[in-house]
Amino acid sequence: MGSRRSPAELLGGVFRDDGVGTFGKAALRKAIARVEAGRGSDEKPLSQLAKLSYLWMAMRELARLPVAERLHQYGDELQRALALWNSSAAWYGLHGAHPMGCLAALNELTHARTELGSADLPLGERASAYYSIGAKVRSKMTARRFFRQSFALSRAKLAQRPDDPSGLLQMTASAHARLALLGEPWRYALALRDFRKSLDWRSSRGAPQESVGEAMNAYAFALFKLRWRRAEALALAAEGSALIRDSAGGLASGFYFRSERKRAEMLGGAGRLDQAIAVAVAARDLAARAQAFDQARPLGELVASLEARKTGL
């Protein structure tokens, strides 16, 4: 207990030690079931903050167990809780070397599965976590390191030939695009290739409407960087957002906020400031009401930037 813990270990490494206190199995399973159902006792959808609150109760119970019992008798609950924590923490904005963040949860999930002899390591999820951190750091050298790690993890998972490679293709495409902007311009053609492959895979296999719209928007955002294809990119982005909006998840989907932010950025880049502001404001307000703060914050910053540009004209 006296050794120094890494900030990339969940809750300072509490799950690497034997716990103390009275364990509540019913409380653990009820909390996880509530988050998996996605609805509270009033049947209203749970916000990401509410999900994290339930998961905190689950983590508290798991932390009370001895290591061996936690892994071998409650290993399924441990893995489910960690995976759910990563998902809600990502939407809530808990990125970086944070002891309650996405990467810490995924590192703990990797440790648990390795100890249990599972080959199903969360490579793709860790790729996403490294990418999110790379997007926030200021040092170009550090950002390159995170994006390269994200790319390597995505490629490693793709090498396992998953049934659905489309999300991983978007991850490799995103890493390529970031690295292209950080001094490796040859990667941009590869980014466009992988974004297009992801969209084609989902479109040709009858993927859910929201999933197709998300891939369409991602490809459009990358395509917009090519000035001679901007009109095509804007039309594609609008179509992608409409697909997400009209899907089962609809306006409550985190993907909708993300797609509208990208579309607003593109509209602003094309000089259509009034339209860009309207799109960004509507998405920001929806995200705030849904407590999707990881989306509301950048949308708010985008609104302020666009309004400042309009004022300065």
Side-chain angles (χ1 to χ4, degrees), residues 77-313:
E77 287 85 353
L78 175 62
Q79 293 177 67
R80 286 158 62 199
L82 290 169
L84 289 166
W85 185 277
N86 168 60
S87 178
S88 289
W91 285 118
Y92 199 69
L94 297 179
H95 302 296
H98 191 296
M100 294 174 64
C102 303
L103 185 58
L106 291 168
N107 286 343
E108 194 60 46
L109 181 57
T110 299
H111 175 76
R113 289 184 177 172
T114 300
E115 289 293 303
L116 291 168
S118 171
D120 183 25
L121 302 182
L123 299 175
E125 293 88 343
R126 288 182 70 224
S128 180
Y130 275 103
Y131 179 88
S132 295
I133 297 171
K136 292 180 179 295
V137 299
R138 296 184 178 182
S139 165
K140 289 184 177 180
M141 182 179 299
T142 303
R144 285 193 196 98
R145 187 170 75 248
F146 279 107
F147 292 135
R148 285 172 181 156
Q149 180 69 356
S150 174
F151 178 78
L153 288 165
S154 300
R155 292 291 296 174
K157 186 63 177 180
L158 280 168
Q160 297 177 1
R161 298 186 179 279
D163 293 337
D164 181 355
S166 61
L168 292 163
L169 285 167
Q170 285 199 41
M171 200 73 260
T172 59
S174 297
H176 273 312
R178 288 285 190 168
L179 289 167
L181 298 174
L182 290 171
E184 301 175 28
W186 55 272
R187 287 183 180 268
Y188 210 78
L190 299 176
L192 288 173
R193 178 202 66 188
D194 284 358
F195 276 127
R196 184 74 224 191
K197 285 172 68 175
S198 175
L199 173 58
D200 289 346
W201 192 95
R202 292 182 182 182
S203 298
S204 65
R205 285 166 175 78
Q209 184 172 314
E210 178 183 77
S211 179
V212 174
E214 189 261 336
M216 190 175 289
N217 186 271
Y219 177 54
F221 190 71
L223 202 60
F224 187 79
K225 303 295 182 184
L226 306 180
R227 297 185 67 86
W228 61 94
R229 300 189 69 176
R230 284 189 167 182
E232 177 188 355
L234 285 168
L236 200 61
E239 183 180 355
S241 282
L243 283 173
I244 299 172
R245 182 193 64 218
D246 298 335
S247 69
L251 299 179
S253 168
F255 291 114
Y256 181 72
F257 307 139
R258 188 179 297 171
S259 71
E260 286 293 84
R261 174 169 55 84
K262 290 179 178 178
R263 189 162 75 92
E265 287 183 20
M266 286 187 272
L267 287 165
R272 294 156 61 173
L273 293 177
D274 286 335
Q275 190 177 356
I277 291 169
V279 168
V281 166
R284 177 202 62 192
D285 293 347
L286 281 170
R289 286 198 293 272
Q291 294 189 342
F293 299 119
D294 193 32
Q295 301 301 318
R297 277 191 294 269
L299 279 163
E301 292 167 1
L302 177 59
V303 170
S305 174
L306 290 167
E307 289 178 339
R309 281 180 58 193
K310 184 180 177 182
T311 302
L313 290 179

Side-chain angles (χ1 to χ4, degrees), residues 48-59:
Q48 298 302 337
L49 180 58
K51 290 180 181 179
L52 288 171
S53 297
Y54 277 112
L55 289 169
W56 178 259
M57 290 188 280
M59 297 293 189

